[in-house]
Amino acid sequence: MPPEPGQFVSPSNYAPTSFRAGSISSPLGHSHYHRTGIMKGSVAPSSASTSTKPSSTISTKPFIVRNGRTYINEPTLLYPLPVDLAELHRQSLRTLMLFQVFGGPTTAPEFSNKPPSSVLEVGCGSAFWSMMCHRYFAQHGHSSISFTGLDIVPLVGSGLDQNWKPDKDMKWRFVQHDMRRTPWPLPDNEFDLIMVKDMAMCLSTFMRDPQTLFEEYLRMLKPGGVLEFWESDHSIRMLRPHVTKQPVMSKPDSDSDSDDSSEDEGDAAKLGAYVMTNNTPLSAPLNPFLVEYNGWVTKGLDALGVSAVPCTLIGPYLLQEADTLMELRSKRLAIPLSEIRWEREGVGGVVTKDGKSYIDSMKRKGKATDSKGGGKGLTASQAALRRTALETVVGMIQALEPVLRDVSGKSQDEWDNWSGKMMNDLLREGGTSWGECLEVGAWSARKKLGSTTS
């Protein structure tokens, strides 16, 4: 059964058998699986899977080790992250976290009662999302979904991890292809669901001019099928004190969006997250390490043609395809990286643009217990969700070391010193208690009925 709102479950509910050690609140107990985008590849074939390997630009030695981290051995690919087990671990945790806050493997309401029959995961990596999707629907009696993964190089089963395999009852196919080469080797009007997850950093300059990618997505999508994106911003902002809407009861004949918005905020609050709207008060972080990181990551990724805030781009891209897509939906969440001081002590006061007006008030010893959100503390599930978000952010900073070190001008010793202090501050000393948060989002749209592309 799917988790109830507010319940942050162990990945063992959905993960393959070999992934069942540990809990989401204890990331070090996990094995290291997950997709890493265009720069990574597929699972090893099992009795239920097939593999297609067209020509590729990758050499006979697909991986290269630099400074103790493993990367794709292809100089023309600008993907900045490593592909070693530590990075796959981080991405698996991020996937499990998104799976939880979005309530399953897809946010599209079309699949609430009838699952898709054919699914494509773009940049599948180890196909972890596909496995989670298969297990989710299989638990509801739907185990015949056909899954296809597309990526540039096989990752799992090629030396980095020999153990992961699809479930025996999972219909799985891997297609190896460099997505910079179009058209992709997949048929027209083939898939009910195309999932594009965490691909902004993988696709580099394609995200600045996405028309070619969207042409491929829409060509392969069936009329009435769903194109869905999951993404996270790479820079960090701070959630300032505010009062969220209280959930209200929907009237049977009500068609107002406000009821849905309130219900969404109520569900997010149970999980420990905040629904983002145009009125959500956000500002630059106060944590000095995250302030420095934001400056470095924005400059470093921009040099690679990557936006540090991809969540701001996907909605407009989908709107540009209004002739072919319909029913555009989105959900954006801010997941604080720890308990926020104003959550426990109450909002109160006037909030200024830089968020500093409430700092002095945080020193008071009285505990607010009014309706403004103070005095309750986090549940174990909420604390686990936020700790997972924090660990994936710290892991991202570590994974981006070459980019950040180059922009900052730090030597290796200077970087190691900064990195150690950053980890201690964020992970042990509560350095994110001012409201620093991870921003994530999900967007989906349907291909218009009768629409065909070629």
Side-chain angles (χ1 to χ4, degrees):
M1 295 296 292
E4 296 294 330
Q7 177 190 11
F8 197 58
V9 299
S10 165
S12 62
N13 284 11
Y14 299 107
T17 303
S18 59
F19 200 97
R20 292 187 175 180
S23 163
I24 190 72
S25 60
S26 179
L28 295 180
H30 293 301
S31 299
H32 309 293
Y33 307 122
H34 186 41
R35 47 105 39 222
T36 44
I38 189 172
M39 306 310 167
K40 277 117 340 246
S42 79
V43 298
S46 74
S47 59
S49 67
T50 60
S51 179
T52 303
K53 298 183 178 181
S55 61
S56 172
T57 58
I58 299 298
S59 68
T60 55
K61 295 183 178 180
F63 306 112
I64 186 172
V65 176
R66 295 195 296 266
N67 296 324
R69 304 297 300 263
T70 302
Y71 297 84
I72 293 294
N73 186 21
E74 173 48 65
T76 65
L77 296 177
L78 300 179
Y79 182 66
L81 295 174
V83 296
D84 50 25
L85 297 185
E87 173 59 14
L88 300 187
H89 180 179
R90 184 193 71 82
Q91 295 201 16
S92 70
L93 290 177
R94 181 68 62 85
T95 296
L96 290 167
M97 183 189 70
L98 295 179
F99 194 97
Q100 186 70 26
V101 297
F102 294 145
T106 173
T107 61
E110 290 81 5
F111 305 125
S112 298
N113 299 316
K114 182 181 179 181
S117 61
S118 56
V119 177
L120 171 65
E121 183 182 0
V122 178
C124 63
S126 62
F128 184 74
W129 176 87
S130 289
M131 173 61 79
M132 296 297 97
C133 186
H134 164 74
R135 283 182 167 263
Y136 179 88
F137 284 113
Q139 288 180 358
H140 294 78
H142 307 288
S143 59
S144 61
I145 301 173
S146 175
F147 289 90
T148 299
L150 179 71
D151 218 321
I152 194 171
V153 61
L155 182 59
V156 178
S158 60
L160 295 181
D161 196 313
Q162 301 281 349
N163 298 319
W164 193 93
K165 293 181 180 179
D167 284 359
K168 292 182 178 180
D169 65 339
M170 181 179 178
K171 296 181 179 179
W172 166 254
R173 173 179 60 149
F174 171 66
V175 176
Q176 182 177 348
H177 184 71
D178 186 338
M179 284 187 283
R180 297 173 297 176
R181 297 182 175 184
T182 57
W184 300 344
L186 293 166
D188 296 354
N189 306 312
E190 176 77 2
F191 300 103
D192 299 302
L193 171 62
I194 295 178
M195 172 58 75
V196 185
K197 193 180 72 62
D198 295 333
M199 289 293 291
M201 197 176 290
C202 308
L203 296 171
S204 188
T205 53
F206 279 96
M207 289 302 293
R208 301 290 180 89
D209 184 19
Q211 187 60 42
T212 300
L213 289 173
F214 273 88
E215 289 175 357
E216 284 300 287
Y217 298 150
L218 297 175
R219 176 184 66 79
M220 298 180 296
L221 193 63
K222 292 179 181 178
V226 172
L227 174 62
E228 184 157 355
F229 292 80
W230 288 7
E231 195 54 75
S232 308
D233 279 346
H234 310 309
S235 60
I236 303 297
R237 291 194 290 180
M238 183 178 70
L239 190 66
R240 304 206 311 272
H242 68 290
V243 181
T244 59
K245 294 180 182 178
Q246 296 297 317
V248 297
M249 295 299 293
S250 301
K251 298 179 180 180
D253 58 348
S254 173
D255 58 359
S256 171
D257 292 338
S258 61
D259 292 335
D260 293 337
S261 175
S262 296
E263 291 176 1
D264 284 345
E265 289 194 355
D267 290 342
K270 291 177 182 178
L271 289 168
Y274 288 83
V275 172
M276 293 178 59
T277 69
N278 292 333
N279 297 320
T280 301
L282 291 156
S283 64
L286 292 179
N287 182 278
F289 294 99
L290 293 179
V291 170
E292 288 184 299
Y293 162 73
N294 276 356
W296 299 336
V297 76
T298 300
K299 184 176 180 180
L301 293 183
D302 185 71
L304 299 175
V306 176
S307 172
V309 286
C311 289
T312 65
L313 303 177
I314 297 173
Y317 288 161
L318 289 169
L319 287 173
Q320 292 176 9
E321 303 297 329
D323 291 342
T324 309
L325 294 173
M326 61 181 179
E327 301 176 17
L328 172 60
R329 296 152 300 219
S330 65
K331 184 175 185 178
R332 292 188 62 182
L333 299 174
I335 306 175
L337 302 181
S338 64
E339 184 176 40
I340 308 174
R341 298 186 183 192
W342 54 260
E343 288 178 316
R344 178 177 291 276
E345 302 188 27
V347 177
V350 178
V351 181
T352 62
K353 183 177 180 181
D354 62 6
K356 293 181 179 178
S357 62
Y358 66 90
I359 294 178
D360 290 339
S361 68
M362 295 299 107
K363 298 178 181 178
R364 68 182 187 277
K365 296 182 180 179
K367 294 184 178 180
T369 57
D370 57 21
S371 61
K372 295 182 179 180
K376 294 183 179 180
L378 299 179
T379 66
S381 293
Q382 291 169 339
L385 177 79
R386 294 187 181 185
R387 182 68 180 189
T388 301
L390 173 60
E391 295 207 12
T392 63
V393 168
V394 171
M396 170 70 82
I397 296 174
Q398 292 175 310
L400 286 171
E401 175 186 337
V403 173
L404 302 178
R405 189 156 58 87
D406 181 65
V407 172
S408 67
K410 292 183 179 296
S411 66
Q412 186 65 61
D413 288 343
E414 290 171 335
W415 171 265
D416 291 342
N417 182 56
W418 182 92
S419 179
K421 291 181 178 178
M422 175 273 297
M423 293 178 62
N424 186 65
D425 182 77
L426 299 185
L427 295 174
R428 299 181 180 88
E429 296 183 355
T432 59
S433 61
W434 299 117
E436 287 82 359
C437 60
L438 171 66
E439 298 174 51
V440 302
W443 299 258
S444 68
R446 293 178 64 206
K447 185 176 178 180
K448 290 182 177 180
L449 297 173
S451 176
T452 58
T453 57
S454 59

